[in-house]
Amino acid sequence: MNKFLKYFVIICALTAVFWIGAGKIIDHGLIQLDKSRYQEWEAIAGGGINADVVILGSSRGVSGYNPQIIGEGLRKKTYNLSYDAGSFALQASKFDLYLENNKTPKIIIQNIDFTHFAANDTLIGENNMLPFRENDLFKTHFAGYENHIFEPWNLFSIKYTRNFRLIRKGLYGYFGVYDGHNLHDNGFVSKDEVFKKDQRNLVALKKTVKARKYAYLLRNVEIVKKSMVSYSIKSKVVVVWAPEYIERYALAPELHAIISEQFRTLASRYPNITFIDLSDHAMGKETVNFYDTFHLNSTGSTTFSTLLVPYLAP
Amino acid sequence: MLFNSLTFLVFLPAVFCIYWFVLHKNLLARNVFLLLASYVFYGWWDWRFLSLIAFSTLVDYYVARFIATSYSQKKRKLLLVVSLIVNLGLLGFFKYVNFFVDSWVDAFNGLGIAMNTSTLNIILPVGISFYTFQTLSYTIDVYRGNLQASRKLIDFATYVAFFPQLVAGPIERATNLLPQFGVLKKFNEQQAISGLHLILWGLFQKVVIADSCAPYVNSIFDNYESMNSLSLMLGAVYFAFQIYGDFAGYSNIAIGTARLLGFDLMRNFNYPYFSRDMAEFWRRWHISLSTWFRDYLYIPLGGSRGTTAMQLRNVFIIFIVSGFWHGANWTFVFWGFLHALFFIPVLLLNKNRSNLNQVAENAVLPSFKEIFQMLTTFVLACIAWVFFRAASFLEAVAYFKTMLAQPSFDVQYLGIQRYATEMLFIIAIFIALEWAHRTQEHPFVGRWKWFKIAAVILMLLTLGVYSDHQDFIYFQF
């Protein structure tokens, strides 16, 4: 019986070692991937950014604000902390995580737009956080969202089982092989794509306007405003409505007026908050600046970021 | 209870410890415990159907006892018929009643005679085909005088319900398994270690190979109309590995589990996809069922003796019945029919026993001739698998029509996360492992044993399906 038990223990031990070891290797490999989101999360949680200017937003923030141009214009270290497809709550959680170990920025640029105030409890892009599943900071800031990775049961499961994409990327990273996915530059993703109409987004906005479902939007506007006030205690806050594609802007002039008025009033009450409304800027009439009806492309983001610098300069 | 479930992960060590450490001195207590454990294992799925097993056990136990004590051949035959009627009656009721009613209605509707009838809402008890055949073989063996009737009801009941092989085989003969319950076993380390190896290998076959293929298979078969030739061919290949990994995996875990408790079960799979002809395939695929049919149906019918017409009749009967055993659907019947068609040329050329040895026996790689033979056999098996997997006969025909109508070999996105190339890579590793160890039960032998064990554990952890584990396909049979 002894030999069998020894054999059994070795197999169990091997399983345990691989269970933990394989996860650690892939964690490490993913974090090693240069300019990947995994590496970004590591820097955000670990205090590896420490920017003077931080940009907050959703996907429009990710592709619209070029931190290199803004940083050079302001002569300040700038980082785009926008959360791709993230709700305003997720953007705030990401920023809260950032503040845990990074210095408080001097300037916070908060992008807003028509969809910024839609509530969404889902943890978007949770796979990007897999290497940090056991990290208490991530649990503190993100476990409250609808997710799969922070559920207690999942903490005992094998992290990357059957997730071929991550296993492959993790191994690439671990062995130093270049992997070209998910690249960003200081949080900014340059979209070098030509314009393609996105009907889905237009239809969604059209429905909101038609139903005049503004009440909940305004409730969320209040929440965002409170965040801005809270940020403005230690930083200068610049709320920016980046140029909207003309067709989209034309769909909701009334909604635009309501929201922009709220932030204009806010800016007038708090000296540390500025509101810059470029939503109907002329560049919104040119499809050359957009890759869809919602997002600026690389040409548009260069023009817009250059355009924004004088507004931000002290 | 599934072998690849957390419940079993607790159940098996508990049974192991009580069996070897608590009940190591008392044979009766051990057998009673194994019987109870087996009933718990089965009852975990649906306790109500335990009564069926118990009923079948009692009938065959007493019928066999009466047969053994009876000197009248007529009475013995009558008792055998009673056992056949009870066992096949239960099987027929639970498995085939609705099929016959539906087919009857369809036939009349086809003739233009409208018939409306409702079918019964019958649940198919898990494993009924397996334990029914197991108990039948016992009664037939006693009738034939090949086996003495058991005098111990507990031993016999444990033989019928022995949990490692209760729900999906191997279909054990009483001549092999029943006497093992009459011996107070001592722990055999080598046997237990080989059991661990088989469990590990079986898990790999099930959760890595079969369950990885499953989403591809489902995606392709559910959307076959929009798939191109390459995808449809891959669909058949993936299913070939899914069903093999699923069933061989289950069998290996069953055999391994039995070995942990000191029991030897028969081998059920012997690398069937390395077969050079259909006869060899059937000597290597689901061995416990094919030998059952051989011994209790094919040989009594005359086997390969008699005129050519009789031989052909016997082949068709055995394969069609085998197909029908798998399920109450014309697809299974046609699957059996196709295998009969594929088998007949080998039989007529008198080559059905020409490949009894291992392929490339003393070589590392097969010859070109052997590669051609193996590929041909595999392609034929895949053609038949399409009928086995399809929801209906017409769907299987449409599957082939779509494959041949507009040949296109572009790689298609199958709407699931994993890429076809990676799946093929996993299958290639599996084939290479099996090929390198085709003379062994499992790959965990030789100098590289621990390396292979480590690699398989690593693949189990990284490639296995755990969150949405699939039932074993053969549970439905």
Side-chain angles (χ1 to χ4, degrees):
Chain A
M1 184 66 95
N2 287 347
K3 192 180 167 191
F4 168 77
L5 289 177
K6 202 170 138 189
Y7 209 90
F8 181 69
V9 168
I10 292 173
I11 287 181
C12 291
L14 266 178
T15 308
V17 166
F18 284 144
W19 189 326
I20 298 160
K24 291 280 178 210
I25 285 173
I26 297 162
D27 283 352
H28 184 72
L30 288 172
I31 293 166
Q32 292 304 306
L33 286 174
D34 202 21
K35 296 185 175 180
S36 68
R37 290 294 176 199
Y38 318 102
Q39 197 177 56
E40 184 190 38
W41 281 118
E42 168 81 356
I44 290 170
I49 295 177
N50 289 308
D52 300 314
V53 181
V54 161
I55 299 152
L56 306 179
S58 59
S59 56
R60 290 218 332 148
V62 171
S63 62
Y65 295 75
N66 187 329
Q68 195 186 339
I69 294 173
I70 295 170
E72 279 171 9
L74 298 177
R75 293 172 190 249
K76 287 185 184 347
K77 187 180 177 188
T78 305
Y79 196 88
N80 190 332
L81 206 62
S82 298
Y83 198 125
D84 198 4
S87 62
F88 63 85
L90 266 178
Q91 293 168 34
S93 296
K94 188 177 180 181
F95 186 53
D96 288 344
L97 175 67
Y98 173 89
L99 289 178
E100 293 274 1
N101 285 312
N102 290 280
K103 68 175 185 185
T104 307
K106 292 188 176 89
I107 302 173
I108 297 167
I109 302 171
Q110 172 71 62
N111 178 73
I112 60 164
D113 54 69
F114 287 123
T115 49
H116 184 75
F117 307 99
N120 186 351
D121 292 336
T122 311
L123 181 59
I124 306 290
E126 61 180 351
N127 269 356
N128 292 336
M129 293 183 198
L130 263 177
F132 313 98
R133 194 177 66 177
E134 295 81 15
N135 186 319
D136 286 337
L137 278 179
F138 280 82
K139 274 186 233 170
T140 306
H141 291 288
F142 296 107
Y145 293 93
E146 270 181 38
N147 73 86
H148 295 101
I149 65 169
F150 295 114
E151 285 169 6
W153 170 245
N154 272 343
L155 296 176
F156 298 100
S157 70
I158 306 147
K159 246 185 191 179
Y160 298 103
T161 297
R162 295 182 61 76
N163 199 331
F164 256 70
R165 200 171 58 89
L166 291 194
I167 291 173
R168 193 184 56 216
K169 286 171 89 171
L171 291 177
Y172 280 171
Y174 192 81
F175 293 107
V177 186
Y178 176 73
D179 180 76
H181 292 284
N182 231 357
L183 287 182
H184 70 94
D185 193 0
N186 285 318
F188 166 68
V189 177
S190 177
K191 291 279 191 178
D192 195 13
E193 294 170 23
V194 290
F195 181 76
K196 196 178 168 191
K197 206 166 200 171
D198 182 358
Q199 285 293 355
R200 198 171 54 90
N201 260 319
L202 291 175
V203 169
L205 181 59
K206 211 181 273 182
K207 274 184 185 167
T208 308
V209 174
K210 199 176 174 186
R212 293 182 62 84
K213 287 181 180 169
Y214 297 157
Y216 87 98
L217 277 180
L218 289 176
R219 272 199 303 277
N220 294 335
V221 166
E222 284 305 316
I223 297 171
V224 174
K225 277 164 64 184
K226 275 183 189 161
S227 296
M228 297 303 111
V229 171
S230 138
Y231 294 164
S232 71
I233 296 167
K234 290 183 180 173
S235 311
K236 181 185 173 185
V237 175
V238 185
V239 180
V240 181
W241 196 318
E244 293 277 4
Y245 176 63
I246 187 165
E247 200 176 330
R248 185 175 166 80
Y249 182 81
L251 281 176
E254 189 190 1
L255 183 59
H256 169 259
I258 295 169
I259 296 172
S260 58
E261 182 52 34
Q262 292 280 329
F263 284 95
R264 207 167 286 121
T265 311
L266 181 76
S268 66
R269 285 176 56 195
Y270 294 89
N272 234 7
I273 300 178
T274 311
F275 177 51
I276 302 167
D277 187 2
L278 297 172
S279 55
D280 62 343
H281 191 273
M283 66 181 286
K285 290 172 187 154
E286 305 289 339
T287 53
V288 71
N289 292 315
F290 294 85
Y291 72 84
D292 62 15
T293 47
F294 199 36
H295 302 91
L296 292 169
N297 61 14
S298 55
T299 309
S301 64
T302 304
T303 311
F304 168 64
S305 301
T306 312
L307 180 75
L308 193 61
V309 170
Y311 288 97
L312 303 171
Chain B
M1 202 182 292
L2 292 170
F3 282 162
N4 56 332
S5 66
L6 278 174
T7 325
F8 189 71
L9 200 66
V10 176
F11 175 82
L12 181 59
V15 170
F16 180 88
C17 291
I18 295 170
Y19 184 82
W20 288 115
F21 298 123
V22 180
L23 306 170
H24 57 288
K25 284 179 182 166
N26 190 324
L27 178 63
L28 178 65
R30 264 190 177 177
N31 287 343
V32 170
F33 171 69
L34 275 185
L35 179 62
L36 290 175
S38 298
Y39 279 3
V40 168
F41 179 87
Y42 190 85
W44 208 265
W45 166 71
D46 193 331
W47 60 270
R48 292 170 300 172
F49 290 112
L50 282 173
S51 56
L52 269 185
I53 297 181
F55 178 67
S56 191
T57 303
L58 287 172
V59 166
D60 282 291
Y61 176 76
Y62 285 109
V63 163
R65 297 280 302 138
F66 289 136
I67 289 174
T69 52
S70 173
Y71 295 103
S72 158
Q73 183 58 22
K74 202 175 165 185
K75 195 177 166 189
R76 285 161 57 86
K77 198 173 252 178
L78 187 68
L79 286 163
L80 178 66
V81 170
V82 167
S83 168
L84 288 171
I85 288 173
V86 169
N87 284 297
L88 296 178
L90 285 175
L91 185 62
F93 175 76
F94 282 101
K95 195 164 175 176
Y96 299 108
V97 156
N98 283 338
F99 169 74
F100 284 120
V101 172
D102 287 341
S103 298
W104 188 255
V105 171
D106 287 347
F108 272 91
N109 287 341
L111 292 171
I113 305 165
M115 276 188 78
N116 283 319
T117 185
S118 55
T119 45
L120 301 169
N121 185 20
I122 300 171
I123 302 170
L124 179 65
V126 167
I128 190 169
S129 306
F130 291 90
Y131 67 73
T132 300
F133 270 43
Q134 191 154 305
T135 51
L136 269 182
S137 75
Y138 166 75
T139 317
I140 296 170
D141 280 346
V142 171
Y143 172 78
R144 285 175 174 174
N146 296 337
L147 181 72
Q148 283 198 333
S150 174
R151 289 169 180 272
K152 294 174 179 168
L153 180 58
I154 294 294
D155 288 13
F156 180 69
T158 317
Y159 154 73
V160 175
F162 190 45
F163 74 87
Q165 45 83 244
L166 170 62
V167 290
I171 302 165
E172 274 298 328
R173 306 295 177 78
T175 44
N176 174 45
L177 185 56
L178 188 54
Q180 295 187 52
F181 290 101
V183 182
L184 186 67
K185 292 175 185 307
K186 285 189 177 162
F187 188 76
N188 180 327
E189 299 211 270
Q190 284 313 317
Q191 187 188 35
I193 287 171
S194 73
L196 265 188
H197 286 152
L198 278 173
I199 291 173
L200 195 61
W201 184 236
L203 267 178
F204 175 79
Q205 288 175 309
K206 167 64 182 164
V207 301
V208 176
I209 300 300
D211 291 352
S212 292
C213 286
Y216 281 100
V217 173
N218 296 341
S219 180
I220 293 169
F221 275 82
D222 292 349
N223 305 289
Y224 69 92
E225 287 156 320
S226 60
M227 292 287 158
N228 68 14
S229 308
L230 177 65
S231 297
L232 293 171
M233 285 175 188
L234 280 176
V237 171
Y238 287 145
F239 183 65
F241 282 96
Q242 183 195 355
I243 195 158
Y244 172 51
D246 192 281
F247 196 19
Y250 186 93
S251 295
N252 280 330
I253 299 171
I255 297 166
T257 304
R259 280 191 195 172
L260 287 183
L261 301 170
F263 292 86
D264 277 316
L265 302 183
M266 72 181 294
R267 195 170 182 184
N268 216 13
F269 288 85
N270 185 11
Y271 307 106
Y273 291 147
F274 298 144
S275 303
R276 289 154 288 182
D277 58 51
M278 266 302 158
E280 189 183 10
F281 178 84
W282 279 104
R283 282 193 295 274
R284 292 169 176 273
W285 179 274
H286 202 174
I287 298 165
S288 65
L289 181 71
S290 47
T291 52
W292 196 101
F293 277 121
R294 181 196 66 197
D295 294 345
Y296 299 107
L297 187 62
Y298 186 63
I299 290 172
L301 283 169
S304 54
R305 286 167 296 170
T307 63
T308 307
M310 282 173 70
Q311 288 180 30
L312 292 180
R313 180 203 66 181
N314 296 344
V315 167
F316 274 110
I317 286 174
I318 190 174
F319 277 109
I320 288 171
V321 170
S322 168
F324 201 49
W325 175 89
H326 282 87
N329 194 325
W330 290 109
T331 51
F332 297 119
V333 176
F334 195 75
W335 171 78
F337 176 78
L338 269 183
H339 271 282
L341 283 183
F342 298 153
F343 184 85
I344 278 168
V346 186
L347 182 75
L348 293 179
L349 292 168
N350 208 16
K351 302 250 181 184
N352 53 323
R353 299 191 68 78
S354 61
N355 287 317
L356 293 174
N357 62 342
Q358 192 61 257
V359 61
E361 201 160 26
N362 298 312
V364 176
L365 294 171
S367 65
F368 284 113
K369 185 186 167 193
E370 286 167 332
I371 291 174
F372 176 76
Q373 288 174 325
M374 284 189 290
L375 277 177
T376 308
T377 311
F378 180 70
V379 168
L380 292 176
C382 284
I383 290 170
W385 284 134
V386 171
F387 285 90
F388 195 94
R389 172 60 178 76
S392 69
F393 177 78
L394 291 176
E395 188 182 296
V397 173
Y399 190 97
F400 283 112
K401 267 189 183 170
T402 314
M403 189 192 289
L404 301 171
Q406 290 170 322
S408 165
F409 295 89
D410 297 331
V411 175
Q412 282 183 303
Y413 180 61
L414 299 177
I416 38 181
Q417 268 200 335
R418 293 172 69 171
Y419 304 106
T421 46
E422 282 158 347
M423 190 61 241
L424 289 172
F425 181 65
I426 295 172
I427 290 177
I429 291 177
F430 178 60
I431 294 171
L433 265 173
E434 290 226 317
W435 176 261
H437 303 92
R438 63 195 181 282
T439 54
Q440 314 285 340
E441 278 187 311
H442 54 73
F444 308 127
V445 287
R447 279 174 62 196
W448 294 88
K449 179 176 82 177
W450 280 106
F451 175 78
K452 286 177 276 190
I453 288 175
V456 163
I457 290 174
L458 192 60
M459 284 194 272
L460 276 169
L461 291 174
T462 52
L463 308 177
V465 180
Y466 301 100
S467 54
D468 51 351
H469 63 238
Q470 318 247 337
D471 279 357
F472 287 91
I473 295 174
Y474 265 68
F475 276 18
Q476 62 187 294
F477 306 138

